[in-house]
Amino acid sequence: MRKFGLIPLLVLATIVQASAGELGHYAPGLPNIHDFFVPEPGWYAMIYNFYYTSDTYCDSGGHEVNSITINPGPGPGVTLDVDADVDIYTLVPMLLWVPEWKMPGGWRYGAYISPTFGNSSISAALSAHTTAGLEIDESQFDIGDLFVQPLWFGWSGKHFDCALGYGFYAPIGKYDTDTIAFPGTDVTVTSPEADNIGLGYWTHQLQTALAWYPWENRATTVALAVTGEVHGNKEDVDIRPGARISLNWGISQYLPLKSDKTLLLEVGLSGYSQWQVSDDSGSDAQNTDVHDRIHAAGLQLGISYAPWNAFVTGHYLHEFGARERFEGQIGLISFGKKF
């Protein structure tokens, strides 16, 4: 047990960083269907409550990983059984501003800022075939990285909305690293801690979105959004995560619950796909030629009350088709109000 006591910690860090450290900042399971489009002028306050849970990590072939073999030096190495759970809660407040004035061509301008606060709970049971088992639990609530979108432009027609935006993620969140020495060898590895909330690098994000309304009352919406990410270098380790593309889609229907249409029910289907489109780089990067991907689909429900300029929306998404990342489920409840 003493010989391999530190190895499970390294394996845990490696698995978790593949899902929470090298995947990029943009979480495609966070936005609601209508969140991609610039709203009517005013100040808006929103709060997102995001929950992610998974007990399945998939390899590059889409197969669940049940064991990992590690060989840090001479000898046959050791094979570890893996049983990992990841539960992450994130609180995301947002302050959004859309001025009254318009730009040439009828384009509207908006901007928003969104800090994050997260609780990561990571539990993993890793047992060597030749040693006793070892169980690890990590849990922490702390500040995450900050997202700012200073450029957001929207245009509306009778049957269409479109939007273009640029934003960036600033690495202000809790981020620490550990240096692990393999017993009996000269090998040391510096790895981000498994329970980090921040990711330790800057990200530039570009996003474009299009909504189609088949009828002029705009009660029915078909929406698509494409988001691209380009990342900077990770702090304290020589890793630069590869670029990513995310596709969000949604179909939404508003139904009046009162004859004066002051109370509306929203029913929708939504989902996303996300792909890594360039290699990770740096001397500490692992499997740089393997690109991860994931897909998800689910339901969205919401209530809007016009006299209060307020709404509450929730959605559930189930992930599938994972490659080189965790595959799980997402639940979200968001509250918003215009002032």
Side-chain angles (χ1 to χ4, degrees):
M1 181 67 177
R2 184 179 181 87
K3 181 177 181 181
F4 300 113
L6 292 178
I7 293 178
L9 293 173
L10 177 61
V11 176
L12 174 62
T14 300
I15 292 175
V16 172
Q17 288 307 315
S19 69
E22 313 308 336
L23 291 191
H25 277 99
Y26 178 68
L30 182 71
N32 297 306
I33 295 173
H34 294 274
D35 290 349
F36 299 99
F37 305 97
V38 180
E40 294 299 314
W43 286 91
Y44 296 80
M46 298 184 65
I47 295 179
Y48 295 83
N49 296 274
F50 177 88
Y51 178 70
Y52 178 81
T53 182
S54 174
D55 60 4
T56 302
Y57 184 85
C58 297
D59 61 18
S60 59
H63 307 295
E64 182 178 354
V65 175
N66 296 310
S67 64
I68 294 177
T69 299
I70 294 184
N71 187 356
V78 59
T79 298
L80 303 172
D81 291 330
V82 178
D83 181 13
D85 295 289
V86 175
D87 297 288
I88 298 174
Y89 168 73
T90 305
L91 176 68
V92 186
M94 179 186 295
L95 181 63
L96 189 157
W97 172 61
V98 180
E100 293 284 348
W101 47 266
K102 288 186 177 182
M103 298 182 298
W107 286 83
R108 298 189 306 279
Y109 169 78
Y112 63 89
I113 185 170
S114 183
T116 60
F117 304 88
N119 177 290
S120 65
S121 177
I122 301 155
S123 174
L126 302 162
S127 59
H129 283 228
T130 57
T131 66
L134 175 65
E135 185 172 316
I136 302 167
D137 291 284
E138 296 285 347
S139 183
Q140 174 166 269
F141 186 88
D142 213 319
I143 188 170
D145 293 339
L146 172 71
F147 181 67
V148 180
Q149 182 147 300
L151 300 177
W152 194 24
F153 307 102
W155 180 89
S156 295
K158 288 185 178 180
H159 294 280
F160 293 95
D161 274 341
C162 61
L164 298 170
Y166 162 78
F168 62 88
Y169 297 84
I172 67 170
K174 185 266 178 187
Y175 175 85
D176 296 300
T177 58
D178 281 330
T179 299
I180 302 172
F182 285 92
T185 75
D186 295 328
V187 178
T188 61
V189 175
T190 299
S191 177
E193 291 185 355
D195 62 347
N196 280 336
I197 307 299
L199 300 188
Y201 55 84
W202 291 80
T203 293
H204 297 281
Q205 177 178 296
L206 293 172
Q207 188 174 83
T208 182
L210 177 67
W212 172 53
Y213 308 100
W215 295 278
E216 290 188 19
N217 62 11
R218 291 175 163 246
T220 304
T221 306
V222 179
L224 290 173
V226 178
T227 305
E229 297 172 86
V230 177
H231 310 296
N233 293 320
K234 207 171 182 70
E235 296 178 16
D236 299 327
V237 292
D238 186 16
I239 297 175
R240 182 173 183 174
R244 319 189 65 76
I245 294 291
S246 302
L247 173 67
N248 285 84
W249 58 267
I251 302 172
S252 169
Q253 178 67 52
Y254 281 106
L255 302 170
L257 298 180
K258 297 180 67 175
S259 59
D260 59 3
K261 298 183 180 181
T262 57
L263 186 64
L264 299 176
L265 170 68
E266 182 191 13
V267 180
L269 300 173
S270 65
Y272 62 81
S273 295
Q274 187 177 70
W275 302 269
Q276 181 181 348
V277 295
S278 69
D279 293 350
D280 294 339
S281 59
S283 60
D284 295 324
Q286 302 293 320
N287 300 320
T288 57
D289 59 340
V290 176
H291 294 181
D292 62 80
R293 66 178 184 267
I294 193 72
H295 309 281
L299 301 172
Q300 177 170 309
L301 294 173
I303 295 286
S304 299
Y305 188 52
W308 292 357
N309 288 316
F311 55 90
V312 56
T313 305
H315 63 240
Y316 165 81
L317 297 168
H318 179 79
E319 292 185 323
F320 58 93
R323 299 291 189 274
E324 286 293 326
R325 60 186 292 172
F326 279 103
E327 181 179 279
Q329 301 175 76
I330 292 169
L332 181 134
I333 297 178
S334 59
F335 304 90
K337 179 175 174 54
K338 177 185 176 182
F339 295 95

